[in-house]
Amino acid sequence: MVRMESFPRIISVDDHTVEPSRVWQDRLPSKYREAGPRVVRAPLKEMSFVGGRFAPEMGQKGDSGPLVDWWVYEDLHRPLTRLDTAVGYAREEVRLEGITYEQMRPGSYDVRERLADMDVNHVQSALCFPTFPRFCGQTFTEARDRELGLLCVCAYNDWMVEEWCGPDAHGRLIPLALVPLWDAELAAEEVRRNAARGVRAVCFSEIPPYLGLPSIHGDAWDPFLRACEETGTVIAMHIGSSSRMPSTSKDAPPAVGSTVTFANCCFSMVDWLMSGKFDRFPGLRVMYAEGQIGWIPYILERADVVWEENRGWGGVADKVLQPPSELFAGHVYGCFFDDAFGLSNLDAIGVPNVLYETDYPHSDSTWPKSREVGEAQMGHLDAAVVERIVRGNAIELLGLTEDGLWAG
């Protein structure tokens, strides 16, 4: 039994930052500032999230509706919502509603406040995914102006490294970069630019074709994958990074999608295991954020059966040279924050392939009780196993110091 007082300091590999309002206005060339992402306060006429699709409507001055802070960029009008930052509110108070910066917990966007909230939650270090760019920078991938989009990607990465993970963070915030997904060569350049300043993780889409991009089964992504392998950069895929959350019908309530959020991770992992990329790039490593881990054992079992028994017609015999379960063990990491079933099947997943997360400041977050949740679910495990899951695996994967800090 792991006692609470000895529970390891957490390294969360899936938290989130809500970007301050001037990230791009302060970093874009002057000629692009008017066109670049900016925040305006305007009424929210209506907003829905049905069938896995988010549909807000921005009002004009004088319209009725609550005043909300909106990110405006080209034709995109994206409000800040309570689901972006729900910590500090009781579960029953978390609704689909627009908010302003003043209505969110300051730790969502302020470094010093974030560290204080990490202290409350027994968290030492955290890797943070974006909010306005979306989980792999789809906002800039979908934009019309590619030159401006590239500048926005670079500006975000500069802010992430120099400010969010800068001196005030004392090594406790771990940088996660974006890349211009529309061009694999440019993406490779951005991987190398950031790796040169110590960044060891980059966002990517769980299912690129959902974004109108090539799948990983062809060669289109090879320059990007090669850069990641050569620099030791981990490819981090968050649920929803394909801009399509799982659902069953256009009128399915959000509860349906929320229950099956792991599904895209499942599809994506099978893609990678059957792509041959891990044989071609043996140093490549990928991780799945917020997908939990309980589904992994069956998928590995089924993938091995298909690889072995359907090789005559399955289309992978000449490129997938090892059983998928062996490829998983050497290349894939799953993340969880609340998955007792997955932990009861840990032997079928592999201790070295499991990471911990707190999902701050989202509605699913276990803040401020991530330690208590972890102790309740992992109390039956040996202390050495808990240490690996809660922090040791993340230190190894992300190239952190022995103390679990980012050294830059």
Side-chain angles (χ1 to χ4, degrees):
M1 180 69 177
V2 179
R3 298 183 182 277
M4 184 177 297
E5 58 266 23
S6 64
F7 193 79
R9 289 287 301 279
I10 296 165
I11 297 178
S12 174
V13 297
D14 173 33
D15 284 1
H16 299 263
T17 178
V18 177
E19 299 80 18
S21 63
R22 294 197 58 82
V23 166
W24 289 275
Q25 292 297 299
D26 288 345
R27 288 167 185 79
L28 289 174
S30 57
K31 70 174 183 177
Y32 284 112
R33 286 175 191 160
E34 187 173 343
R38 58 206 179 278
V39 172
V40 301
R41 188 160 293 184
L44 172 65
K45 293 183 68 174
E46 59 179 304
M47 180 166 57
S48 63
F49 186 34
V50 179
R53 296 189 65 84
F54 178 52
E57 184 178 352
M58 179 178 173
Q60 303 298 318
K61 185 177 180 180
D63 287 344
S64 60
L67 286 177
V68 170
D69 283 339
W70 296 77
W71 280 102
V72 177
Y73 174 52
E74 291 193 343
D75 296 332
L76 176 65
H77 295 157
R78 198 278 195 197
L80 295 177
T81 75
R82 178 56 62 210
L83 301 187
D84 292 328
T85 171
V87 291
Y89 287 78
R91 298 285 186 181
E92 62 272 14
E93 295 177 349
V94 178
R95 300 179 177 86
L96 182 62
E97 60 182 351
I99 61 172
T100 66
Y101 277 92
E102 290 80 6
Q103 292 172 302
M104 69 175 74
R105 192 171 183 87
S108 303
Y109 58 86
D110 181 271
V111 172
R112 289 186 175 88
E113 294 289 344
R114 172 60 65 92
L115 298 186
D117 280 353
M118 290 163 62
D119 288 338
V120 168
N121 201 31
H122 200 63
V123 173
Q124 179 190 24
S125 307
L127 182 82
C128 297
F129 283 82
T131 297
F132 170 70
R134 310 215 297 281
F135 296 145
C136 68
Q138 304 101 295
T139 297
F140 306 125
T141 300
E142 296 167 357
R144 294 186 302 273
D145 189 333
R146 294 297 198 205
E147 182 178 358
L148 175 56
L150 178 58
L151 290 171
C152 286
V153 166
C154 294
Y156 176 87
N157 291 337
D158 291 344
W159 169 79
M160 168 64 63
V161 172
E162 297 165 8
E163 293 197 33
W164 185 251
C165 302
D168 288 345
H170 305 293
R172 297 179 62 188
L173 295 174
I174 307 161
L176 177 61
L178 300 177
V179 294
L181 292 170
W182 59 89
D183 187 315
E185 294 285 356
L186 288 177
E189 290 178 16
E190 190 62 9
V191 166
R192 291 191 169 97
R193 182 177 83 93
N194 288 291
R197 48 185 178 173
V199 178
R200 290 293 178 266
V202 63
C203 301
F204 192 65
S205 175
E206 59 202 354
I207 308 177
Y210 284 179
L211 302 178
L213 299 170
S215 80
I216 62 165
H217 294 289
D219 297 334
W221 291 108
D222 284 5
F224 165 70
L225 302 182
R226 187 173 298 109
C228 289
E229 181 186 41
E230 291 176 357
T231 60
T233 298
V234 179
I235 296 175
M237 293 170 282
H238 195 285
I239 58 166
S241 57
S242 59
S243 294
R244 189 184 301 182
M245 292 297 287
S247 192
T248 55
S249 62
K250 291 183 177 180
D251 58 350
V256 172
S258 185
T259 302
V260 296
T261 51
F262 71 92
N264 281 356
C265 294
C266 174
F267 300 155
S268 175
M269 190 178 80
V270 175
D271 250 355
W272 280 91
L273 293 176
M274 298 300 189
S275 70
K277 296 304 182 186
F278 294 139
D279 288 293
R280 290 191 58 199
F281 301 98
L284 200 61
R285 294 172 298 174
V286 305
M287 60 164 272
Y288 289 97
E290 209 171 320
Q292 311 298 344
I293 59 174
W295 52 274
I296 291 175
Y298 171 72
I299 292 300
L300 294 180
E301 177 183 83
R302 176 61 183 164
D304 278 357
V305 169
V306 169
W307 179 81
E308 182 66 39
E309 298 186 2
N310 298 346
R311 54 196 310 107
W313 59 269
V316 297
D318 60 342
K319 63 179 181 179
V320 181
L321 308 180
Q322 303 173 62
S325 60
E326 293 183 12
L327 292 173
F328 172 88
H331 300 275
V332 183
Y333 295 77
C335 310
F336 79 99
F337 56 81
D338 187 5
D339 192 342
F341 183 81
L343 289 168
S344 69
N345 292 278
L346 195 57
D347 288 346
I349 301 168
V351 171
N353 300 85
V354 177
L355 306 166
Y356 198 46
E357 58 181 276
T358 77
D359 197 30
Y360 179 106
H362 284 183
S363 59
D364 272 341
S365 178
T366 51
W367 186 92
K369 297 185 179 298
S370 298
R371 177 176 64 178
E372 289 85 343
V373 171
E375 184 182 43
Q377 294 196 352
M378 289 183 268
H380 65 290
L381 301 174
D382 290 342
V385 172
V386 177
E387 177 79 18
R388 288 289 303 274
I389 291 173
V390 172
R391 59 184 290 110
N393 291 337
I395 289 173
E396 180 180 326
L397 180 65
L398 298 171
L400 306 179
T401 68
E402 292 182 0
D403 295 326
L405 301 174
W406 179 61

